[in-house]
Amino acid sequence: MTEQNREKKNSQPEMFFDKEDPSLLMRPELRQGSRPGDMRVRIVLPHQHAFRRLHYGVLEATEETEEPHSAWGWLKRIFIGPPLPTARAATERLTKVKALAVLSSDAISSVAYATEAMLASLIAAGSGHLWVMLPISCIIVGLLCVVALSYRQTIPAYPSGGGSYIVARENLGTVPGLVAAASLMIDYVLTVAVSVSAGVLSLATLFPILSSAFDIVSIDVTLIILITIINLRGIRQSGSIFAAPTYLFIGSALLMIVVGVVKSFVIEQRPLIGPFPYVAAVEPLSLFLILKSFSAGCSAMTGVEAISNGIPAFKKPETRNASITLTWMAIILGGLFLGITALTMAYRIEVSPTGNPTVIGQIAQRVFNGPLFFFYPIFQIATLLILALAANTSYSDFPRLASLLARDLFLPHQFAFRGDRLAFSTGIVFLATVASLLLMVFEGDTTSLINLYAVGVFISFTLSQSGMVRHWWVRRHSDRHWLHHMLMNGLGASVTLLVALVISVTKFLAGAWIVVVCIPLFVWLFLSIRQHYLRVQRERTTEIPLRPKTLSHRFIVPVMALDAISQYCVSYARSITPQVTAVHVAFDRKRAAALSECWNTWQSSLSEDERVPLSLVEPACHSFSRCLLAYLEQLQAQYPNDTLTVVLHESDALSFRERLHHHLDILAVKGALYSSPDIVVTDIMPPQQCEPVRPEQFSHRFIVPVTGLDRSTLQCLAYARSICSPVTAVHVGVEEQDIEEIRDSWLQLQRYLSQEEETRLVVIESPYRSLVHPLLAYVDTLRELYPTDTFTVILPKFVVEHWWEYPLHNQTAFRIKKALQTRPGIVVTTIPRFVPRD
């Protein structure tokens, strides 16, 4: 082969392999041909096809990146199902039939306990005044009509979701919007607790053996766990599962009302208002008692706003389908509530002091007898199911509301992320946890929980309708029917405000004070979280990148014994900078002397440039972490301009006791350094067969995950570039808009960088919304292509002043670090970024 052909042959890889493109996941190898001077190119590809290359610098994560690799992952896959791509979001919407089951189960199910709540309040005036229950029920149904008509006007005005938070915030201001949000969130938690506890009491009515508080609370929590798992599977699947119990209850309740009305008023000809079994009065029939009974009966209206909140969950046309579903919900709710109240009066049903049997259970027992006896257990089971599954309304709306608050920085960012099945998983799990704790505290007592109920929902009703009044007033010049709309919403705001005041006053001492106090506390919490996030954003914002040349490294390697892992860590640090010091806290003088002797022997076998001094620290206390921190503080004072990095590793001690002791010491050091704003921590996961290596044998590859080009990210990039070049930055994008923003910002950043500060960016589009799995798959792919290189992943860490601020940060970085710790041979470096107070 001629020299020209050889040059052409050797240059061929450059035609299809671009070393500058980090998205080109292949490695060329030049190999000797069959004849002297002849060379051939072998392309090494990864075994797993975790990515599809879209174009230069852009990859798309495939379904392989979401494959479970642990027992927890497989368990999650079994119970929740495989992840759904974001493109499937449109197919996960609800029809009107399913939406009525998912979004109206809370309101419809409340008829199972609303009449009983009224009866329990009125009985204090004696059995002679129980007839007042009927006009109160008619007033509540009239109020339901007003609220439903008001929300029918909210739906077309806010087609993206006319929840009380959105309407109040846009029209009345931030604080009223947060008051509405806090009220709704409290009401959603109470909805889960009340619905599940009332459902279990229906089961106890059917099976009296389940009457102990322990049994009831155990069943309550078990049902919440079951409902949580179903909702984590996605809104469409939960709608399919919950539709049958909802319609079974509606059908059986309508049958009970029809049969009961015929038997009572046609066959037996009972009077609607007649004498109840005698009960002595303990207080006179006063306006306060009537209002108290009215406020108890208003629990039947909880959940009415759910449909206007969940408009995006409907199939197209969303607003029309939502309006029709809201109308049907109001008709069904009003009819069932009046029918059950009428049968309560016709059969003269008494309230059991223990709540078992329930009022609706007693009605069913009176109606379904004789030839229809088999309908009684069916109805009780249907009541249990609808009450237990009524919590699904909260599971649908609470996570959505929490995601809106997180988007506006009033809650931690995790609440805004969709899970594997396109549901807001964090909100679902949080709701289940709080509701379970509430049931444990109140021992599953529905009566006690109802006293907290309905306060928040009517406050949110009032703010939402008041916001709509201002909405129509602002649009009075562009909408011909603005006055009609404004009057209707004004009537709704006035009526619901009156009801909110009545409920707050009449139930204040019975437990409503808890809600009244919690609402301003929640608003303060929301505002504090947003203030913190805004402060962090101000600290992170920058346009000038940090220069790698300004960084001067100094590495500290704590050693317990001179084993292969310690030698590996020292060589790793020495391959980066000559400023390396090994540190040993001399608790045992004989052991320290032996270590010093072994250390000198090892160092004498190395060249002058490779040697690392060993510093023996005299312990000032019995804590390894405190002694090490004191030594680090001295170094910081001695070298204020150096970037101090502490290298930590797992122990290779022979005995289990020594390994455990070392592990606890390292955990203590990590905990102490977690809040340090100036010290970088490097965790080395030693290779499975760790052997001592020379510093020059390390071939470094640095990977820096980036979410945006803020100060913390630029600090990580500068740290990596100060050690080796080039550095690969990886951005995992979920939203197309975020991907475009990071690419534009990256192009602007390159203008500031010199050639030696070269940094390459690869964007990984994540169709399954996962941030961690695609990054891990990318690291694993590069390790497979370059098995002899040492990979270091650099993560930012925010250091804040208060403990309660830590849950707002570092969650994704912690998950990445935890996952990388299971991969031997990976180095994880954490760069702190201190967030001071204003």
Side-chain angles (χ1 to χ4, degrees):
M1 179 182 293
T2 63
E3 185 68 19
Q4 183 179 0
N5 289 337
R6 262 198 306 272
E7 291 178 358
K8 183 177 180 181
K9 183 78 172 180
N10 293 340
S11 65
Q12 281 183 358
E14 300 298 328
M15 298 172 60
F16 57 88
F17 183 84
D18 185 359
K19 294 186 299 182
E20 308 302 320
D21 184 3
S23 66
L24 203 59
L25 298 178
M26 58 178 64
R27 174 170 59 88
E29 287 184 354
L30 290 178
R31 293 198 170 190
Q32 180 67 46
S34 56
R35 292 178 295 181
D38 194 3
M39 303 294 291
R40 61 188 179 90
V41 178
R42 177 178 179 266
I43 299 298
V44 179
L45 298 174
H47 290 93
Q48 293 185 345
H49 301 286
F51 300 99
R52 281 189 293 268
R53 185 174 182 272
L54 302 181
H55 49 82
Y56 185 93
V58 179
L59 297 170
E60 183 185 50
T62 65
E63 195 171 358
E64 277 192 35
T65 60
E66 303 300 320
E67 286 295 322
H69 298 286
S70 63
W72 165 249
W74 283 110
L75 193 65
K76 182 180 175 184
R77 177 67 62 90
I78 292 172
F79 283 101
I80 298 178
L84 297 176
T86 306
R88 287 273 302 275
T91 65
E92 290 294 300
R93 296 192 176 191
L94 301 172
T95 62
K96 295 189 290 292
V97 174
K98 289 184 179 180
L100 184 64
V102 172
L103 300 177
S104 301
S105 56
D106 173 21
I108 293 174
S109 69
S110 61
V111 300
Y113 51 79
T115 300
E116 183 171 354
M118 280 195 303
L119 195 59
S121 298
L122 276 176
I123 198 65
S127 55
H129 297 291
L130 293 180
W131 62 269
V132 180
M133 185 169 54
L134 184 60
I136 292 177
S137 299
C138 294
I139 294 174
I140 291 174
V141 172
L143 177 63
L144 170 65
C145 295
V146 173
V147 173
L149 289 173
S150 299
Y151 272 109
R152 273 187 64 97
Q153 298 189 131
T154 303
I155 288 173
Y158 287 88
S160 61
S164 300
Y165 165 66
I166 297 294
V167 176
R169 189 184 181 205
E170 288 189 4
N171 295 284
L172 302 179
T174 299
V175 173
L178 293 179
V179 171
S183 304
L184 277 179
M185 294 184 81
I186 294 173
D187 182 69
Y188 287 146
V189 174
L190 288 170
T191 295
V192 176
V194 170
S195 299
V196 171
S197 63
V200 173
L201 285 178
S202 295
L203 184 65
T205 301
L206 187 61
F207 301 104
I209 194 174
L210 302 173
S211 58
S212 68
F214 177 78
D215 292 337
I216 290 175
V217 172
S218 299
I219 299 173
D220 287 341
V221 175
T222 302
L223 281 175
I224 286 181
I225 293 173
L226 178 62
I227 298 170
T228 301
I229 293 174
I230 293 174
N231 276 274
L232 288 174
R233 293 185 64 87
I235 185 172
R236 186 170 63 89
Q237 285 205 7
S238 64
S240 301
I241 295 172
F242 295 152
T246 301
Y247 289 109
L248 176 63
F249 173 77
I250 293 174
S252 58
L254 287 175
L255 177 64
M256 182 187 71
I257 292 172
V258 171
V259 174
V261 168
V262 172
K263 290 178 67 174
S264 299
F265 304 122
V266 177
I267 298 176
E268 300 175 3
Q269 295 185 348
R270 293 172 177 266
L272 178 59
I273 300 177
F276 279 76
Y278 178 76
V279 176
V282 296
E283 62 178 277
L285 181 66
S286 60
L287 177 62
F288 180 82
L289 185 61
I290 294 175
L291 292 177
K292 184 178 180 181
S293 177
F294 169 77
S295 63
C298 283
S299 60
M301 292 185 56
T302 56
V304 173
E305 82 293 341
I307 292 176
S308 69
N309 291 350
I311 299 173
F314 283 85
K315 287 184 177 292
K316 295 181 179 180
E318 294 91 342
T319 55
R320 182 176 180 274
N321 290 336
S323 298
I324 294 173
T325 306
L326 176 62
T327 302
W328 276 109
M329 182 269 294
I331 293 173
I332 294 171
L333 174 58
L336 293 180
F337 180 60
L338 281 179
I340 291 171
T341 302
L343 291 181
T344 301
M345 301 188 65
Y347 284 105
R348 319 293 188 250
I349 302 297
E350 298 179 87
V351 177
S352 172
T354 62
N356 185 18
T358 61
V359 167
I360 195 172
Q362 295 180 60
I363 296 173
Q365 200 168 22
R366 301 279 187 89
V367 173
F368 294 131
N369 54 22
L372 299 176
F373 73 95
F374 61 91
F375 270 111
Y376 172 66
I378 294 177
F379 178 76
Q380 287 299 100
I381 293 174
T383 304
L384 164 66
L385 293 175
I386 186 64
L387 283 169
L389 301 182
N392 195 60
T393 299
S394 294
Y395 276 93
S396 176
D397 280 354
F398 181 94
R400 186 178 291 110
L401 174 60
S403 72
L404 294 175
L405 290 169
R407 181 199 64 185
D408 295 336
L409 305 181
F410 293 113
L411 279 180
H413 296 316
Q414 294 90 333
F415 284 93
F417 299 152
R418 290 185 181 269
D420 289 347
R421 305 288 294 181
L422 294 168
F424 296 106
S425 303
T426 303
I428 291 174
V429 174
F430 182 83
L431 172 63
T433 303
V434 177
S436 298
L437 292 175
L438 200 62
L439 284 168
M440 293 177 187
V441 171
F442 285 87
E443 297 183 344
D445 186 359
T446 306
T447 304
S448 300
L449 290 167
I450 285 180
N451 289 328
L452 282 68
Y453 208 25
V455 180
V457 69
F458 277 95
I459 292 175
S460 66
F461 282 170
T462 302
L463 291 170
S464 174
Q465 299 310 308
S466 301
M468 288 304 300
V469 170
R470 176 171 172 75
H471 172 84
W472 297 121
W473 174 255
V474 172
R475 286 158 180 77
R476 62 188 182 276
H477 300 298
S478 58
D479 193 318
R480 292 187 304 167
H481 305 289
W482 69 273
L483 184 59
H484 170 265
H485 295 322
M486 189 176 72
L487 290 175
M488 178 57 68
N489 288 123
L491 176 62
S494 303
V495 173
T496 54
L497 174 61
L498 178 62
V499 175
L501 292 175
V502 169
I503 294 176
S504 300
V505 173
T506 57
K507 290 187 175 183
F508 188 81
L509 295 179
W513 66 269
I514 299 176
V515 178
V516 174
V517 170
C518 284
I519 288 175
L521 289 178
F522 277 27
V523 173
W524 171 80
L525 178 64
F526 295 152
L527 292 172
S528 299
I529 291 174
R530 178 174 172 81
Q531 183 181 11
H532 174 77
Y533 274 136
L534 292 177
R535 186 173 73 250
V536 171
Q537 286 184 353
R538 289 194 298 270
E539 289 296 321
R540 294 174 63 175
T541 304
T542 183
E543 295 182 355
I544 303 175
L546 298 174
R547 293 296 182 183
K549 294 180 180 179
T550 62
L551 295 181
S552 176
H553 293 284
R554 183 171 296 275
F555 276 66
I556 305 299
V557 185
V559 294
M560 303 291 289
L562 186 58
D563 50 28
I565 296 179
S566 297
Q567 294 178 4
Y568 182 89
C569 293
V570 170
S571 297
Y572 173 86
R574 187 60 183 80
S575 68
I576 295 174
T577 177
Q579 306 299 329
V580 180
T581 303
V583 178
H584 178 76
V585 181
F587 291 110
D588 187 334
R589 293 187 178 275
K590 292 183 179 180
R591 186 173 180 177
L595 173 63
S596 180
E597 184 178 351
C598 293
W599 190 271
N600 293 332
T601 303
W602 175 47
Q603 292 296 303
S604 63
S605 65
L606 304 177
S607 63
E608 189 72 27
D609 294 336
E610 296 176 334
R611 293 178 183 174
V612 173
L614 174 65
S615 178
L616 298 178
V617 177
E618 291 296 329
C621 59
H622 294 289
S623 172
F624 172 78
S625 59
R626 291 182 181 178
C627 294
L628 182 61
L629 287 177
Y631 177 79
L632 295 176
E633 289 177 1
Q634 293 178 2
L635 278 183
Q636 283 182 304
Q638 187 176 357
Y639 305 100
N641 297 323
D642 288 358
T643 299
L644 202 60
T645 301
V646 179
V647 180
L648 302 176
H649 61 88
E650 297 297 328
S651 174
D652 195 28
L654 297 178
S655 68
F656 173 78
R657 177 178 172 276
E658 290 178 330
R659 189 181 298 112
L660 179 63
H661 180 68
H662 174 80
H663 184 68
L664 293 176
D665 285 339
I666 294 299
L667 282 179
V669 172
K670 288 182 179 180
L673 292 177
Y674 187 79
S675 57
S676 175
D678 302 317
I679 299 177
V680 179
V681 178
T682 293
D683 291 286
I684 293 184
M685 318 307 152
Q688 292 180 345
Q689 295 180 350
C690 184
E691 298 179 358
V693 293
R694 309 294 285 264
E696 63 270 12
Q697 293 178 284
F698 281 92
S699 177
H700 292 285
R701 283 185 178 269
F702 279 75
I703 298 175
V704 182
V706 298
T707 55
L709 297 185
D710 48 41
R711 291 183 182 178
S712 58
T713 299
L714 295 177
Q715 193 172 8
C716 293
L717 291 171
Y719 185 94
R721 289 196 306 263
S722 67
I723 297 174
C724 75
S725 181
V727 173
T728 301
V730 182
H731 175 74
V732 181
V734 176
E735 301 289 341
E736 181 123 7
Q737 181 180 358
D738 295 337
I739 294 175
E740 292 301 323
E741 288 179 359
I742 193 70
R743 289 174 65 86
D744 293 341
S745 300
W746 192 262
L747 291 176
Q748 295 178 7
L749 173 66
Q750 302 310 304
R751 302 173 185 173
Y752 295 99
L753 303 180
S754 59
Q755 188 174 1
E756 62 271 12
E757 297 172 344
E758 174 189 8
T759 307
R760 301 177 297 188
L761 172 69
V762 59
V763 174
I764 302 176
E765 296 184 4
S766 179
Y768 297 95
R769 301 163 307 285
S770 172
L771 300 177
V772 178
H773 293 160
L775 175 65
L776 298 177
Y778 183 77
V779 174
D780 291 339
T781 302
L782 290 183
R783 290 180 66 201
E784 181 184 349
L785 292 175
Y786 304 96
T788 60
D789 290 356
T790 301
F791 286 86
T792 300
V793 180
I794 299 186
L795 301 173
K797 177 188 69 176
F798 287 98
V799 178
V800 293
E801 287 191 341
H802 299 100
W803 64 268
W804 65 267
E805 294 174 326
Y806 277 106
L808 304 179
H809 303 287
N810 308 322
Q811 302 302 316
T812 302
F814 175 77
R815 291 174 57 202
I816 294 173
K817 184 176 180 179
K818 186 177 179 181
L820 289 174
Q821 286 178 341
T822 63
R823 290 160 165 78
I826 289 288
V827 181
V828 181
T829 297
T830 306
I831 310 292
R833 176 68 186 175
F834 182 64
V835 182
R837 292 194 61 83
D838 290 334

